[in-house]
Short mmCIF file of all heavy atoms in Angstrom, two decimals:
data_model
loop_
_atom_site.label_atom_id
_atom_site.label_comp_id
_atom_site.label_asym_id
_atom_site.label_seq_id
_atom_site.Cartn_x
_atom_site.Cartn_y
_atom_site.Cartn_z
N VAL A 1 12.75 -3.41 11.77
CA VAL A 1 13.23 -2.71 10.56
C VAL A 1 14.57 -3.29 10.13
O VAL A 1 14.79 -3.59 8.94
CB VAL A 1 13.34 -1.19 10.82
CG1 VAL A 1 14.11 -0.52 9.69
CG2 VAL A 1 11.95 -0.58 10.96
N LYS A 2 15.47 -3.48 11.09
CA LYS A 2 16.82 -3.97 10.78
C LYS A 2 16.80 -5.41 10.27
O LYS A 2 17.48 -5.74 9.29
CB LYS A 2 17.70 -3.87 12.03
CG LYS A 2 19.11 -4.41 11.83
CD LYS A 2 19.90 -4.35 13.15
CE LYS A 2 21.28 -4.97 12.96
NZ LYS A 2 22.04 -4.97 14.25
N GLU A 3 16.01 -6.28 10.93
CA GLU A 3 16.06 -7.71 10.63
C GLU A 3 15.13 -8.14 9.50
O GLU A 3 15.45 -9.07 8.76
CB GLU A 3 15.71 -8.51 11.90
CG GLU A 3 16.68 -8.33 13.04
CD GLU A 3 18.07 -8.85 12.69
OE1 GLU A 3 18.16 -9.90 12.01
OE2 GLU A 3 19.06 -8.21 13.08
N LYS A 4 13.97 -7.48 9.35
CA LYS A 4 12.97 -7.98 8.42
C LYS A 4 12.57 -7.00 7.32
O LYS A 4 12.30 -7.42 6.20
CB LYS A 4 11.70 -8.39 9.21
CG LYS A 4 11.92 -9.55 10.17
CD LYS A 4 12.19 -10.85 9.41
CE LYS A 4 12.28 -12.04 10.36
NZ LYS A 4 12.50 -13.32 9.63
N ILE A 5 12.48 -5.72 7.66
CA ILE A 5 11.90 -4.76 6.71
C ILE A 5 12.94 -4.21 5.75
O ILE A 5 12.77 -4.26 4.53
CB ILE A 5 11.17 -3.64 7.48
CG1 ILE A 5 10.02 -4.23 8.29
CG2 ILE A 5 10.66 -2.57 6.51
CD1 ILE A 5 9.31 -3.25 9.20
N ALA A 6 14.06 -3.69 6.29
CA ALA A 6 15.10 -3.10 5.43
C ALA A 6 15.71 -4.12 4.45
O ALA A 6 15.89 -3.80 3.27
CB ALA A 6 16.18 -2.45 6.29
N PRO A 7 16.02 -5.36 4.88
CA PRO A 7 16.61 -6.31 3.93
C PRO A 7 15.71 -6.65 2.74
O PRO A 7 16.19 -7.09 1.70
CB PRO A 7 16.85 -7.56 4.80
CG PRO A 7 16.98 -7.03 6.19
CD PRO A 7 16.01 -5.89 6.25
N ALA A 8 14.40 -6.46 2.89
CA ALA A 8 13.45 -6.80 1.82
C ALA A 8 13.05 -5.60 0.99
O ALA A 8 12.09 -5.67 0.22
CB ALA A 8 12.21 -7.47 2.42
N THR A 9 13.76 -4.49 1.11
CA THR A 9 13.37 -3.26 0.41
C THR A 9 13.29 -3.46 -1.10
O THR A 9 12.31 -3.06 -1.74
CB THR A 9 14.37 -2.13 0.74
OG1 THR A 9 14.34 -1.89 2.15
CG2 THR A 9 13.99 -0.85 0.01
N ALA A 10 14.30 -4.07 -1.70
CA ALA A 10 14.32 -4.23 -3.16
C ALA A 10 13.16 -5.10 -3.64
O ALA A 10 12.48 -4.76 -4.62
CB ALA A 10 15.66 -4.84 -3.60
N ALA A 11 12.91 -6.19 -2.95
CA ALA A 11 11.81 -7.08 -3.33
C ALA A 11 10.46 -6.38 -3.16
O ALA A 11 9.55 -6.55 -3.98
CB ALA A 11 11.85 -8.35 -2.49
N ARG A 12 10.36 -5.59 -2.10
CA ARG A 12 9.10 -4.88 -1.85
C ARG A 12 8.85 -3.85 -2.94
O ARG A 12 7.72 -3.71 -3.45
CB ARG A 12 9.15 -4.23 -0.47
CG ARG A 12 7.83 -3.61 -0.02
CD ARG A 12 7.84 -3.30 1.47
NE ARG A 12 8.94 -2.43 1.84
CZ ARG A 12 10.00 -2.83 2.55
NH1 ARG A 12 10.11 -4.09 2.94
NH2 ARG A 12 10.95 -1.99 2.86
N ARG A 13 9.88 -3.13 -3.34
CA ARG A 13 9.73 -2.14 -4.41
C ARG A 13 9.37 -2.80 -5.74
O ARG A 13 8.57 -2.28 -6.52
CB ARG A 13 11.01 -1.31 -4.55
CG ARG A 13 11.20 -0.32 -3.41
CD ARG A 13 12.52 0.42 -3.50
NE ARG A 13 12.63 1.43 -2.46
CZ ARG A 13 13.77 2.06 -2.16
NH1 ARG A 13 14.88 1.78 -2.84
NH2 ARG A 13 13.79 2.97 -1.21
N ALA A 14 9.95 -3.97 -6.00
CA ALA A 14 9.61 -4.69 -7.23
C ALA A 14 8.14 -5.10 -7.23
O ALA A 14 7.45 -4.99 -8.25
CB ALA A 14 10.50 -5.92 -7.36
N SER A 15 7.65 -5.56 -6.08
CA SER A 15 6.24 -5.94 -5.98
C SER A 15 5.33 -4.73 -6.15
O SER A 15 4.29 -4.81 -6.82
CB SER A 15 5.97 -6.60 -4.63
OG SER A 15 6.67 -7.83 -4.52
N LEU A 16 5.74 -3.62 -5.57
CA LEU A 16 4.93 -2.39 -5.69
C LEU A 16 4.83 -1.95 -7.14
O LEU A 16 3.75 -1.58 -7.62
CB LEU A 16 5.53 -1.28 -4.83
CG LEU A 16 5.26 -1.36 -3.33
CD1 LEU A 16 6.07 -0.30 -2.59
CD2 LEU A 16 3.78 -1.15 -3.04
N SER A 17 5.94 -1.97 -7.84
CA SER A 17 5.91 -1.52 -9.24
C SER A 17 5.02 -2.41 -10.08
O SER A 17 4.39 -1.96 -11.04
CB SER A 17 7.32 -1.50 -9.81
OG SER A 17 7.86 -2.81 -9.87
N MET A 18 4.91 -3.69 -9.71
CA MET A 18 4.10 -4.63 -10.47
C MET A 18 2.62 -4.54 -10.12
O MET A 18 1.75 -4.54 -11.00
CB MET A 18 4.60 -6.06 -10.22
CG MET A 18 3.89 -7.13 -11.04
SD MET A 18 4.49 -8.79 -10.64
CE MET A 18 6.24 -8.62 -10.97
N TYR A 19 2.32 -4.44 -8.82
CA TYR A 19 0.94 -4.58 -8.38
C TYR A 19 0.26 -3.26 -7.99
O TYR A 19 -0.97 -3.23 -7.83
CB TYR A 19 0.86 -5.55 -7.20
CG TYR A 19 1.25 -6.96 -7.56
CD1 TYR A 19 2.43 -7.51 -7.08
CD2 TYR A 19 0.44 -7.72 -8.40
CE1 TYR A 19 2.81 -8.81 -7.42
CE2 TYR A 19 0.80 -9.01 -8.74
CZ TYR A 19 1.98 -9.56 -8.25
OH TYR A 19 2.34 -10.83 -8.59
N LEU A 20 1.03 -2.20 -7.81
CA LEU A 20 0.44 -0.94 -7.38
C LEU A 20 -0.67 -0.45 -8.31
O LEU A 20 -1.72 0.00 -7.83
CB LEU A 20 1.52 0.13 -7.22
CG LEU A 20 1.05 1.47 -6.62
CD1 LEU A 20 0.47 1.25 -5.23
CD2 LEU A 20 2.20 2.46 -6.55
N PRO A 21 -0.51 -0.52 -9.64
CA PRO A 21 -1.60 -0.06 -10.51
C PRO A 21 -2.91 -0.81 -10.28
O PRO A 21 -4.00 -0.25 -10.47
CB PRO A 21 -1.05 -0.32 -11.92
CG PRO A 21 0.43 -0.29 -11.76
CD PRO A 21 0.68 -0.91 -10.43
N LEU A 22 -2.82 -2.09 -9.87
CA LEU A 22 -4.03 -2.87 -9.63
C LEU A 22 -4.71 -2.48 -8.32
O LEU A 22 -5.94 -2.46 -8.23
CB LEU A 22 -3.69 -4.36 -9.60
CG LEU A 22 -3.13 -4.96 -10.89
CD1 LEU A 22 -2.70 -6.41 -10.66
CD2 LEU A 22 -4.18 -4.90 -12.00
N PHE A 23 -3.92 -2.19 -7.29
CA PHE A 23 -4.48 -1.95 -5.96
C PHE A 23 -4.67 -0.46 -5.64
O PHE A 23 -5.35 -0.14 -4.67
CB PHE A 23 -3.58 -2.58 -4.89
CG PHE A 23 -3.68 -4.07 -4.84
CD1 PHE A 23 -2.76 -4.86 -5.49
CD2 PHE A 23 -4.71 -4.69 -4.15
CE1 PHE A 23 -2.86 -6.25 -5.45
CE2 PHE A 23 -4.82 -6.07 -4.10
CZ PHE A 23 -3.89 -6.85 -4.76
N ALA A 24 -4.10 0.43 -6.43
CA ALA A 24 -4.19 1.86 -6.13
C ALA A 24 -5.63 2.36 -6.07
O ALA A 24 -5.99 3.09 -5.13
CB ALA A 24 -3.37 2.67 -7.13
N PRO A 25 -6.51 2.00 -7.03
CA PRO A 25 -7.90 2.49 -6.94
C PRO A 25 -8.60 2.01 -5.67
O PRO A 25 -9.32 2.79 -5.02
CB PRO A 25 -8.56 1.89 -8.19
CG PRO A 25 -7.43 1.67 -9.14
CD PRO A 25 -6.28 1.26 -8.29
N PHE A 26 -8.38 0.75 -5.31
CA PHE A 26 -8.97 0.21 -4.08
C PHE A 26 -8.43 0.96 -2.86
O PHE A 26 -9.19 1.30 -1.94
CB PHE A 26 -8.66 -1.28 -3.97
CG PHE A 26 -9.16 -1.91 -2.71
CD1 PHE A 26 -10.50 -2.23 -2.56
CD2 PHE A 26 -8.29 -2.19 -1.66
CE1 PHE A 26 -10.97 -2.81 -1.39
CE2 PHE A 26 -8.75 -2.77 -0.50
CZ PHE A 26 -10.09 -3.09 -0.36
N SER A 27 -7.13 1.22 -2.86
CA SER A 27 -6.52 1.93 -1.74
C SER A 27 -7.08 3.34 -1.60
O SER A 27 -7.34 3.81 -0.49
CB SER A 27 -4.99 1.99 -1.94
OG SER A 27 -4.38 2.72 -0.90
N ARG A 28 -7.30 4.01 -2.73
CA ARG A 28 -7.88 5.36 -2.68
C ARG A 28 -9.30 5.31 -2.12
O ARG A 28 -9.71 6.19 -1.36
CB ARG A 28 -7.86 5.99 -4.08
CG ARG A 28 -6.47 6.46 -4.53
CD ARG A 28 -6.57 7.34 -5.75
NE ARG A 28 -6.99 6.59 -6.94
CZ ARG A 28 -6.15 6.02 -7.79
NH1 ARG A 28 -4.84 6.11 -7.59
NH2 ARG A 28 -6.60 5.36 -8.85
N ASP A 29 -10.08 4.29 -2.51
CA ASP A 29 -11.44 4.15 -1.98
C ASP A 29 -11.40 3.96 -0.46
O ASP A 29 -12.17 4.58 0.28
CB ASP A 29 -12.14 2.95 -2.62
CG ASP A 29 -12.60 3.23 -4.04
OD1 ASP A 29 -12.65 4.42 -4.41
OD2 ASP A 29 -12.89 2.27 -4.78
N MET A 30 -10.51 3.09 0.01
CA MET A 30 -10.41 2.83 1.44
C MET A 30 -10.01 4.09 2.21
O MET A 30 -10.53 4.37 3.29
CB MET A 30 -9.40 1.71 1.72
CG MET A 30 -9.82 0.34 1.22
SD MET A 30 -11.37 -0.26 1.94
CE MET A 30 -12.51 0.07 0.58
N ALA A 31 -9.08 4.86 1.64
CA ALA A 31 -8.66 6.11 2.28
C ALA A 31 -9.82 7.09 2.35
O ALA A 31 -10.00 7.80 3.36
CB ALA A 31 -7.49 6.72 1.52
N ARG A 32 -10.62 7.14 1.28
CA ARG A 32 -11.77 8.05 1.28
C ARG A 32 -12.81 7.63 2.32
O ARG A 32 -13.36 8.46 3.05
CB ARG A 32 -12.39 8.07 -0.12
CG ARG A 32 -13.53 9.10 -0.24
CD ARG A 32 -14.08 9.20 -1.64
NE ARG A 32 -14.97 8.08 -1.96
CZ ARG A 32 -14.65 7.06 -2.74
NH1 ARG A 32 -13.44 7.01 -3.29
NH2 ARG A 32 -15.51 6.09 -2.99
N PHE A 33 -13.08 6.32 2.39
CA PHE A 33 -14.04 5.83 3.39
C PHE A 33 -13.54 6.11 4.80
O PHE A 33 -14.34 6.45 5.69
CB PHE A 33 -14.28 4.33 3.21
CG PHE A 33 -14.94 3.95 1.91
CD1 PHE A 33 -14.63 2.75 1.29
CD2 PHE A 33 -15.86 4.79 1.31
CE1 PHE A 33 -15.23 2.39 0.08
CE2 PHE A 33 -16.48 4.45 0.11
CZ PHE A 33 -16.16 3.25 -0.50
N ARG A 34 -12.23 5.95 5.02
CA ARG A 34 -11.69 6.22 6.35
C ARG A 34 -11.88 7.68 6.73
O ARG A 34 -12.30 8.01 7.84
CB ARG A 34 -10.20 5.85 6.42
CG ARG A 34 -9.64 5.90 7.84
CD ARG A 34 -8.13 5.73 7.90
NE ARG A 34 -7.46 6.92 7.40
CZ ARG A 34 -6.78 6.97 6.26
NH1 ARG A 34 -6.69 5.91 5.49
NH2 ARG A 34 -6.19 8.08 5.88
N ARG A 35 -11.58 8.60 5.79
CA ARG A 35 -11.79 10.03 6.08
C ARG A 35 -13.26 10.32 6.34
O ARG A 35 -13.61 11.09 7.23
CB ARG A 35 -11.28 10.88 4.91
CG ARG A 35 -9.77 10.88 4.74
CD ARG A 35 -9.32 11.95 3.76
NE ARG A 35 -9.87 11.73 2.43
CZ ARG A 35 -9.28 11.02 1.48
NH1 ARG A 35 -8.11 10.43 1.72
NH2 ARG A 35 -9.83 10.87 0.29
N GLN A 36 -14.12 9.69 5.57
CA GLN A 36 -15.56 9.89 5.73
C GLN A 36 -16.05 9.41 7.09
O GLN A 36 -17.00 9.97 7.65
CB GLN A 36 -16.30 9.16 4.60
CG GLN A 36 -17.80 9.44 4.53
CD GLN A 36 -18.45 8.72 3.35
OE1 GLN A 36 -17.76 8.18 2.48
NE2 GLN A 36 -19.77 8.70 3.33
N SER A 37 -15.40 8.38 7.63
CA SER A 37 -15.84 7.80 8.90
C SER A 37 -15.69 8.75 10.07
O SER A 37 -16.30 8.54 11.13
CB SER A 37 -15.08 6.50 9.19
OG SER A 37 -13.72 6.76 9.53
N TYR A 38 -14.89 9.79 9.91
CA TYR A 38 -14.74 10.79 10.97
C TYR A 38 -15.84 11.85 10.92
O TYR A 38 -15.96 12.65 11.85
CB TYR A 38 -13.37 11.49 10.86
CG TYR A 38 -12.22 10.64 11.31
CD1 TYR A 38 -11.51 9.86 10.40
CD2 TYR A 38 -11.84 10.59 12.65
CE1 TYR A 38 -10.44 9.07 10.81
CE2 TYR A 38 -10.79 9.80 13.06
CZ TYR A 38 -10.09 9.04 12.14
OH TYR A 38 -9.05 8.25 12.56
#
């Protein structure tokens, strides 16, 4: 967290704001399939 994750917070948030709308539907499908697998 200290060496790799926290220093990249701003860049990660910028990527999320750009690409989240594209991947959100896929992510919701995967979450639903995971719940269904139980």
Side-chain angles (χ1 to χ4, degrees):
V1 168
K2 178 183 177 182
E3 296 296 322
K4 295 292 185 178
I5 297 174
T9 299
R12 187 166 56 250
R13 286 175 176 168
S15 295
L16 282 172
S17 65
M18 184 182 303
Y19 295 111
L20 186 60
L22 297 174
F23 286 97
F26 177 77
S27 178
R28 285 193 291 269
D29 284 344
M30 292 300 102
R32 185 175 77 255
F33 295 146
R34 189 188 72 250
R35 291 192 298 270
Q36 188 177 349
S37 71
Y38 286 93

